[in-house]
Amino acid sequence: MTTLHLIRDSVLSNNTITLALRNLAPNDVIVLIDDGCYNLNSAFISDAQKIIPLNQCYAIEEHVNARGLQVNTAIVINYEYLLELIFNHQNVITWQ
């Protein structure tokens, strides 16, 4: 069973990010949205990529651009691709 994890908070704001990592399985997918995009530059994304490959880590382009971030650790996607991911996964969890 695959799960799509929508990460909405920064690792600096609360401990839900730690809970997300504990529940991450090798076939799961992560999408960073809203302030979750700040995790692109944190240990969270490095820790996540010890469990899942880079091609399973995404960030929403508009949210990344709004925060002026550089993306080297995830694939930048649009809302249409996010919808595809949502419909292609059996479970969706929003971490916020």
Short mmCIF file of all heavy atoms in Angstrom, two decimals, residues 26-80:
data_model
loop_
_atom_site.label_atom_id
_atom_site.label_comp_id
_atom_site.label_asym_id
_atom_site.label_seq_id
_atom_site.Cartn_x
_atom_site.Cartn_y
_atom_site.Cartn_z
N PRO A 26 9.31 2.73 1.97
CA PRO A 26 10.11 2.85 0.75
C PRO A 26 9.34 3.18 -0.53
O PRO A 26 9.89 3.81 -1.42
CB PRO A 26 10.77 1.48 0.63
CG PRO A 26 10.85 0.98 2.02
CD PRO A 26 9.61 1.49 2.70
N ASN A 27 8.08 2.83 -0.64
CA ASN A 27 7.32 3.13 -1.85
C ASN A 27 6.47 4.39 -1.74
O ASN A 27 5.73 4.73 -2.66
CB ASN A 27 6.42 1.95 -2.22
CG ASN A 27 7.24 0.77 -2.68
OD1 ASN A 27 8.29 0.93 -3.30
ND2 ASN A 27 6.78 -0.42 -2.37
N ASP A 28 6.56 5.07 -0.62
CA ASP A 28 5.78 6.28 -0.41
C ASP A 28 6.36 7.46 -1.19
O ASP A 28 7.48 7.40 -1.70
CB ASP A 28 5.73 6.63 1.08
CG ASP A 28 4.88 5.67 1.89
OD1 ASP A 28 4.21 4.81 1.30
OD2 ASP A 28 4.91 5.77 3.13
N VAL A 29 5.56 8.52 -1.25
CA VAL A 29 5.95 9.74 -1.95
C VAL A 29 5.73 10.92 -1.01
O VAL A 29 4.77 10.94 -0.24
CB VAL A 29 5.11 9.91 -3.24
CG1 VAL A 29 5.31 11.27 -3.86
CG2 VAL A 29 5.43 8.81 -4.23
N ILE A 30 6.62 11.90 -1.10
CA ILE A 30 6.51 13.13 -0.31
C ILE A 30 6.27 14.30 -1.26
O ILE A 30 6.94 14.40 -2.29
CB ILE A 30 7.81 13.42 0.46
CG1 ILE A 30 8.02 12.40 1.57
CG2 ILE A 30 7.81 14.83 1.04
CD1 ILE A 30 9.35 12.55 2.26
N VAL A 31 5.34 15.17 -0.89
CA VAL A 31 5.16 16.44 -1.60
C VAL A 31 5.23 17.55 -0.56
O VAL A 31 4.48 17.55 0.41
CB VAL A 31 3.81 16.51 -2.36
CG1 VAL A 31 3.66 17.87 -3.03
CG2 VAL A 31 3.71 15.41 -3.39
N LEU A 32 6.15 18.47 -0.77
CA LEU A 32 6.31 19.62 0.12
C LEU A 32 5.43 20.75 -0.41
O LEU A 32 5.56 21.15 -1.58
CB LEU A 32 7.76 20.06 0.18
CG LEU A 32 8.75 18.98 0.63
CD1 LEU A 32 10.18 19.49 0.52
CD2 LEU A 32 8.45 18.53 2.04
N ILE A 33 4.54 21.24 0.44
CA ILE A 33 3.65 22.34 0.06
C ILE A 33 3.67 23.39 1.16
O ILE A 33 4.10 23.12 2.28
CB ILE A 33 2.21 21.84 -0.20
CG1 ILE A 33 1.61 21.21 1.04
CG2 ILE A 33 2.17 20.86 -1.35
CD1 ILE A 33 0.15 20.82 0.89
N ASP A 34 3.22 24.58 0.83
CA ASP A 34 3.18 25.69 1.79
C ASP A 34 4.55 25.83 2.48
O ASP A 34 5.57 25.75 1.81
CB ASP A 34 2.06 25.49 2.81
CG ASP A 34 0.67 25.44 2.17
OD1 ASP A 34 0.49 26.14 1.15
OD2 ASP A 34 -0.20 24.73 2.66
N ASP A 35 4.57 26.01 3.80
CA ASP A 35 5.84 26.18 4.51
C ASP A 35 6.65 24.88 4.57
O ASP A 35 7.81 24.89 4.96
CB ASP A 35 5.60 26.70 5.93
CG ASP A 35 5.26 28.18 5.94
OD1 ASP A 35 5.47 28.86 4.91
OD2 ASP A 35 4.79 28.67 6.98
N GLY A 36 6.06 23.78 4.17
CA GLY A 36 6.80 22.53 4.06
C GLY A 36 7.96 22.64 3.08
O GLY A 36 8.93 21.89 3.17
N CYS A 37 7.87 23.59 2.17
CA CYS A 37 8.96 23.81 1.20
C CYS A 37 10.27 24.21 1.88
O CYS A 37 11.34 23.98 1.34
CB CYS A 37 8.56 24.85 0.17
SG CYS A 37 7.22 24.30 -0.91
N TYR A 38 10.18 24.80 3.06
CA TYR A 38 11.40 25.16 3.79
C TYR A 38 12.21 23.91 4.16
O TYR A 38 13.40 24.01 4.44
CB TYR A 38 11.07 25.96 5.04
CG TYR A 38 10.61 27.37 4.75
CD1 TYR A 38 9.34 27.79 5.11
CD2 TYR A 38 11.45 28.28 4.12
CE1 TYR A 38 8.91 29.08 4.83
CE2 TYR A 38 11.03 29.58 3.84
CZ TYR A 38 9.76 29.96 4.20
OH TYR A 38 9.33 31.24 3.93
N ASN A 39 11.60 22.76 4.15
CA ASN A 39 12.31 21.52 4.45
C ASN A 39 13.28 21.11 3.34
O ASN A 39 14.08 20.21 3.54
CB ASN A 39 11.31 20.39 4.73
CG ASN A 39 10.48 20.67 5.95
OD1 ASN A 39 10.98 21.06 6.98
ND2 ASN A 39 9.18 20.47 5.83
N LEU A 40 13.19 21.78 2.20
CA LEU A 40 14.14 21.50 1.12
C LEU A 40 15.57 21.75 1.57
O LEU A 40 16.50 21.14 1.07
CB LEU A 40 13.83 22.36 -0.11
CG LEU A 40 12.56 22.02 -0.86
CD1 LEU A 40 12.19 23.15 -1.81
CD2 LEU A 40 12.73 20.71 -1.61
N ASN A 41 15.74 22.67 2.49
CA ASN A 41 17.08 23.06 2.96
C ASN A 41 17.35 22.59 4.37
O ASN A 41 18.10 23.21 5.10
CB ASN A 41 17.22 24.58 2.88
CG ASN A 41 17.05 25.08 1.47
OD1 ASN A 41 17.51 24.45 0.53
ND2 ASN A 41 16.37 26.19 1.31
N SER A 42 16.71 21.47 4.76
CA SER A 42 16.90 20.97 6.12
C SER A 42 17.32 19.51 6.10
O SER A 42 17.31 18.86 5.06
CB SER A 42 15.61 21.12 6.93
OG SER A 42 14.67 20.15 6.52
N ALA A 43 17.65 19.00 7.26
CA ALA A 43 18.03 17.59 7.37
C ALA A 43 16.86 16.67 7.07
O ALA A 43 17.06 15.51 6.73
CB ALA A 43 18.57 17.31 8.77
N PHE A 44 15.62 17.17 7.17
CA PHE A 44 14.45 16.34 6.91
C PHE A 44 14.52 15.67 5.55
O PHE A 44 14.32 14.47 5.42
CB PHE A 44 13.15 17.15 7.01
CG PHE A 44 11.98 16.44 6.39
CD1 PHE A 44 11.34 15.42 7.08
CD2 PHE A 44 11.54 16.77 5.13
CE1 PHE A 44 10.28 14.74 6.51
CE2 PHE A 44 10.48 16.10 4.55
CZ PHE A 44 9.85 15.09 5.24
N ILE A 45 14.81 16.44 4.53
CA ILE A 45 14.79 15.88 3.18
C ILE A 45 15.92 14.88 3.01
O ILE A 45 15.77 13.85 2.36
CB ILE A 45 14.79 16.99 2.10
CG1 ILE A 45 14.26 16.46 0.76
CG2 ILE A 45 16.13 17.61 1.92
CD1 ILE A 45 12.78 16.26 0.71
N SER A 46 17.07 15.12 3.62
CA SER A 46 18.17 14.16 3.59
C SER A 46 17.80 12.87 4.29
O SER A 46 18.08 11.78 3.80
CB SER A 46 19.42 14.75 4.24
OG SER A 46 19.84 15.90 3.58
N ASP A 47 17.14 13.00 5.43
CA ASP A 47 16.69 11.82 6.17
C ASP A 47 15.63 11.06 5.39
O ASP A 47 15.63 9.83 5.36
CB ASP A 47 16.15 12.22 7.54
CG ASP A 47 17.22 12.73 8.48
OD1 ASP A 47 18.43 12.48 8.21
OD2 ASP A 47 16.87 13.39 9.47
N ALA A 48 14.73 11.78 4.74
CA ALA A 48 13.68 11.13 3.95
C ALA A 48 14.29 10.36 2.79
O ALA A 48 13.85 9.26 2.46
CB ALA A 48 12.69 12.18 3.44
N GLN A 49 15.34 10.92 2.19
CA GLN A 49 15.94 10.26 1.03
C GLN A 49 16.81 9.06 1.41
O GLN A 49 17.29 8.35 0.55
CB GLN A 49 16.70 11.29 0.19
CG GLN A 49 15.73 12.21 -0.51
CD GLN A 49 16.38 13.32 -1.28
OE1 GLN A 49 17.59 13.54 -1.21
NE2 GLN A 49 15.59 14.04 -2.04
N LYS A 50 16.96 8.81 2.70
CA LYS A 50 17.56 7.55 3.14
C LYS A 50 16.53 6.43 3.06
O LYS A 50 16.88 5.26 3.06
CB LYS A 50 18.08 7.69 4.57
CG LYS A 50 19.25 8.63 4.69
CD LYS A 50 19.63 8.84 6.14
CE LYS A 50 20.74 9.88 6.23
NZ LYS A 50 21.02 10.25 7.62
N ILE A 51 15.24 6.81 3.02
CA ILE A 51 14.15 5.84 2.97
C ILE A 51 13.57 5.72 1.57
O ILE A 51 13.30 4.63 1.09
CB ILE A 51 13.04 6.25 3.97
CG1 ILE A 51 13.62 6.34 5.38
CG2 ILE A 51 11.86 5.27 3.92
CD1 ILE A 51 12.72 7.04 6.38
N ILE A 52 13.38 6.87 0.91
CA ILE A 52 12.81 6.87 -0.44
C ILE A 52 13.78 7.58 -1.39
O ILE A 52 14.54 8.45 -0.98
CB ILE A 52 11.43 7.56 -0.48
CG1 ILE A 52 11.54 9.04 -0.10
CG2 ILE A 52 10.43 6.83 0.41
CD1 ILE A 52 10.24 9.81 -0.29
N PRO A 53 13.75 7.24 -2.68
CA PRO A 53 14.65 7.88 -3.63
C PRO A 53 14.23 9.31 -3.99
O PRO A 53 13.08 9.70 -3.76
CB PRO A 53 14.58 6.97 -4.86
CG PRO A 53 13.32 6.22 -4.74
CD PRO A 53 12.99 6.15 -3.27
N LEU A 54 15.16 10.05 -4.55
CA LEU A 54 14.92 11.44 -4.95
C LEU A 54 13.71 11.57 -5.85
O LEU A 54 12.95 12.51 -5.74
CB LEU A 54 16.17 12.01 -5.65
CG LEU A 54 16.04 13.41 -6.25
CD1 LEU A 54 15.80 14.44 -5.15
CD2 LEU A 54 17.27 13.76 -7.05
N ASN A 55 13.48 10.61 -6.74
CA ASN A 55 12.36 10.73 -7.68
C ASN A 55 11.00 10.49 -7.02
O ASN A 55 9.99 10.46 -7.70
CB ASN A 55 12.55 9.81 -8.88
CG ASN A 55 12.45 8.34 -8.53
OD1 ASN A 55 12.44 7.96 -7.37
ND2 ASN A 55 12.39 7.52 -9.55
N GLN A 56 10.97 10.37 -5.70
CA GLN A 56 9.72 10.26 -4.95
C GLN A 56 9.55 11.44 -3.99
O GLN A 56 8.69 11.42 -3.13
CB GLN A 56 9.67 8.93 -4.19
CG GLN A 56 9.54 7.74 -5.11
CD GLN A 56 9.71 6.41 -4.41
OE1 GLN A 56 10.24 5.49 -4.99
NE2 GLN A 56 9.28 6.27 -3.18
N CYS A 57 10.37 12.47 -4.17
CA CYS A 57 10.29 13.69 -3.36
C CYS A 57 9.97 14.86 -4.29
O CYS A 57 10.70 15.13 -5.24
CB CYS A 57 11.62 13.97 -2.67
SG CYS A 57 12.10 12.72 -1.47
N TYR A 58 8.87 15.54 -3.99
CA TYR A 58 8.39 16.63 -4.84
C TYR A 58 8.16 17.88 -4.03
O TYR A 58 7.98 17.82 -2.82
CB TYR A 58 7.07 16.23 -5.51
CG TYR A 58 7.16 15.01 -6.38
CD1 TYR A 58 6.84 13.75 -5.86
CD2 TYR A 58 7.54 15.10 -7.70
CE1 TYR A 58 6.92 12.61 -6.66
CE2 TYR A 58 7.61 13.97 -8.51
CZ TYR A 58 7.30 12.73 -7.97
OH TYR A 58 7.38 11.61 -8.76
N ALA A 59 8.11 19.00 -4.72
CA ALA A 59 7.75 20.29 -4.12
C ALA A 59 6.91 21.06 -5.13
O ALA A 59 7.16 21.00 -6.34
CB ALA A 59 8.99 21.08 -3.74
N ILE A 60 5.91 21.78 -4.65
CA ILE A 60 5.04 22.55 -5.53
C ILE A 60 5.77 23.82 -5.97
O ILE A 60 6.23 24.61 -5.15
CB ILE A 60 3.72 22.93 -4.80
CG1 ILE A 60 2.98 21.67 -4.34
CG2 ILE A 60 2.84 23.80 -5.69
CD1 ILE A 60 2.47 20.80 -5.46
N GLU A 61 5.86 23.99 -7.28
CA GLU A 61 6.63 25.09 -7.87
C GLU A 61 6.21 26.47 -7.35
O GLU A 61 7.07 27.26 -6.96
CB GLU A 61 6.49 25.05 -9.39
CG GLU A 61 7.28 26.12 -10.10
CD GLU A 61 7.18 26.00 -11.60
OE1 GLU A 61 6.18 25.44 -12.11
OE2 GLU A 61 8.12 26.46 -12.27
N GLU A 62 4.93 26.76 -7.34
CA GLU A 62 4.47 28.07 -6.88
C GLU A 62 4.83 28.34 -5.42
O GLU A 62 5.15 29.47 -5.06
CB GLU A 62 2.96 28.20 -7.07
CG GLU A 62 2.57 28.32 -8.52
CD GLU A 62 1.06 28.52 -8.70
OE1 GLU A 62 0.37 28.84 -7.71
OE2 GLU A 62 0.59 28.34 -9.83
N HIS A 63 4.82 27.31 -4.60
CA HIS A 63 5.13 27.47 -3.18
C HIS A 63 6.63 27.68 -2.98
O HIS A 63 7.03 28.45 -2.11
CB HIS A 63 4.65 26.27 -2.39
CG HIS A 63 3.15 26.09 -2.47
ND1 HIS A 63 2.44 25.43 -1.50
CD2 HIS A 63 2.24 26.46 -3.39
CE1 HIS A 63 1.15 25.42 -1.83
NE2 HIS A 63 1.02 26.04 -2.99
N VAL A 64 7.42 26.98 -3.77
CA VAL A 64 8.88 27.16 -3.72
C VAL A 64 9.25 28.57 -4.17
O VAL A 64 10.03 29.26 -3.50
CB VAL A 64 9.58 26.10 -4.60
CG1 VAL A 64 11.05 26.41 -4.77
CG2 VAL A 64 9.38 24.70 -4.04
N ASN A 65 8.68 28.99 -5.28
CA ASN A 65 8.99 30.33 -5.82
C ASN A 65 8.54 31.43 -4.88
O ASN A 65 9.24 32.44 -4.72
CB ASN A 65 8.33 30.51 -7.19
CG ASN A 65 8.96 29.62 -8.24
OD1 ASN A 65 10.06 29.11 -8.08
ND2 ASN A 65 8.23 29.40 -9.32
N ALA A 66 7.39 31.27 -4.23
CA ALA A 66 6.88 32.29 -3.31
C ALA A 66 7.81 32.49 -2.12
O ALA A 66 7.84 33.57 -1.53
CB ALA A 66 5.49 31.90 -2.82
N ARG A 67 8.58 31.46 -1.80
CA ARG A 67 9.49 31.54 -0.66
C ARG A 67 10.94 31.81 -1.09
O ARG A 67 11.83 31.88 -0.27
CB ARG A 67 9.39 30.25 0.16
CG ARG A 67 8.09 30.20 0.93
CD ARG A 67 7.64 28.80 1.27
NE ARG A 67 6.37 28.85 1.99
CZ ARG A 67 5.18 28.98 1.40
NH1 ARG A 67 5.09 29.06 0.09
NH2 ARG A 67 4.06 29.01 2.11
N GLY A 68 11.15 31.96 -2.40
CA GLY A 68 12.47 32.28 -2.92
C GLY A 68 13.51 31.20 -2.67
O GLY A 68 14.68 31.50 -2.44
N LEU A 69 13.09 29.94 -2.73
CA LEU A 69 13.98 28.83 -2.41
C LEU A 69 14.61 28.23 -3.66
O LEU A 69 14.05 28.29 -4.75
CB LEU A 69 13.20 27.74 -1.67
CG LEU A 69 12.57 28.17 -0.35
CD1 LEU A 69 11.67 27.06 0.18
CD2 LEU A 69 13.64 28.51 0.67
N GLN A 70 15.76 27.62 -3.47
CA GLN A 70 16.43 26.85 -4.51
C GLN A 70 16.10 25.38 -4.30
O GLN A 70 16.05 24.93 -3.17
CB GLN A 70 17.96 27.04 -4.43
CG GLN A 70 18.41 28.45 -4.65
CD GLN A 70 18.19 28.92 -6.07
OE1 GLN A 70 18.34 28.14 -7.02
NE2 GLN A 70 17.81 30.16 -6.24
N VAL A 71 15.90 24.65 -5.39
CA VAL A 71 15.54 23.24 -5.27
C VAL A 71 16.62 22.37 -5.90
O VAL A 71 16.85 22.43 -7.10
CB VAL A 71 14.19 22.95 -5.97
CG1 VAL A 71 13.82 21.50 -5.83
CG2 VAL A 71 13.11 23.84 -5.41
N ASN A 72 17.29 21.58 -5.06
CA ASN A 72 18.27 20.61 -5.52
C ASN A 72 17.94 19.22 -5.02
O ASN A 72 18.56 18.25 -5.43
CB ASN A 72 19.68 20.99 -5.03
CG ASN A 72 20.12 22.33 -5.56
OD1 ASN A 72 19.87 22.67 -6.70
ND2 ASN A 72 20.77 23.10 -4.71
N THR A 73 16.99 19.13 -4.10
CA THR A 73 16.74 17.87 -3.40
C THR A 73 15.35 17.30 -3.66
O THR A 73 14.95 16.36 -2.99
CB THR A 73 16.90 18.09 -1.89
OG1 THR A 73 16.05 19.17 -1.49
CG2 THR A 73 18.34 18.40 -1.53
N ALA A 74 14.63 17.86 -4.62
CA ALA A 74 13.29 17.37 -4.94
C ALA A 74 12.95 17.75 -6.38
O ALA A 74 13.63 18.57 -6.99
CB ALA A 74 12.26 17.97 -3.99
N ILE A 75 11.89 17.16 -6.88
CA ILE A 75 11.40 17.47 -8.22
C ILE A 75 10.29 18.50 -8.07
O ILE A 75 9.37 18.31 -7.29
CB ILE A 75 10.87 16.19 -8.90
CG1 ILE A 75 12.01 15.17 -9.04
CG2 ILE A 75 10.24 16.52 -10.25
CD1 ILE A 75 11.55 13.79 -9.43
N VAL A 76 10.39 19.57 -8.83
CA VAL A 76 9.40 20.63 -8.78
C VAL A 76 8.23 20.25 -9.69
O VAL A 76 8.43 19.86 -10.84
CB VAL A 76 10.02 21.97 -9.21
CG1 VAL A 76 8.98 23.07 -9.23
CG2 VAL A 76 11.16 22.34 -8.27
N ILE A 77 7.00 20.35 -9.12
CA ILE A 77 5.80 19.97 -9.87
C ILE A 77 4.75 21.07 -9.81
O ILE A 77 4.83 21.97 -8.98
CB ILE A 77 5.20 18.64 -9.35
CG1 ILE A 77 4.77 18.77 -7.88
CG2 ILE A 77 6.18 17.49 -9.56
CD1 ILE A 77 3.99 17.58 -7.36
N ASN A 78 3.75 20.96 -10.68
CA ASN A 78 2.63 21.89 -10.66
C ASN A 78 1.42 21.22 -10.01
O ASN A 78 1.47 20.05 -9.62
CB ASN A 78 2.31 22.38 -12.08
CG ASN A 78 1.96 21.24 -13.02
OD1 ASN A 78 1.52 20.16 -12.61
ND2 ASN A 78 2.15 21.47 -14.31
N TYR A 79 0.31 21.96 -9.92
CA TYR A 79 -0.89 21.43 -9.27
C TYR A 79 -1.51 20.26 -10.03
O TYR A 79 -2.07 19.35 -9.43
CB TYR A 79 -1.93 22.53 -9.09
CG TYR A 79 -1.53 23.57 -8.07
CD1 TYR A 79 -1.33 24.88 -8.46
CD2 TYR A 79 -1.37 23.24 -6.74
CE1 TYR A 79 -0.97 25.85 -7.53
CE2 TYR A 79 -1.01 24.19 -5.81
CZ TYR A 79 -0.81 25.50 -6.21
OH TYR A 79 -0.44 26.44 -5.29
N GLU A 80 -1.41 20.28 -11.34
CA GLU A 80 -1.96 19.17 -12.13
C GLU A 80 -1.26 17.85 -11.79
O GLU A 80 -1.91 16.82 -11.65
CB GLU A 80 -1.83 19.46 -13.62
CG GLU A 80 -2.75 20.55 -14.11
CD GLU A 80 -2.53 20.88 -15.58
OE1 GLU A 80 -2.16 19.97 -16.35
OE2 GLU A 80 -2.73 22.05 -15.93
#
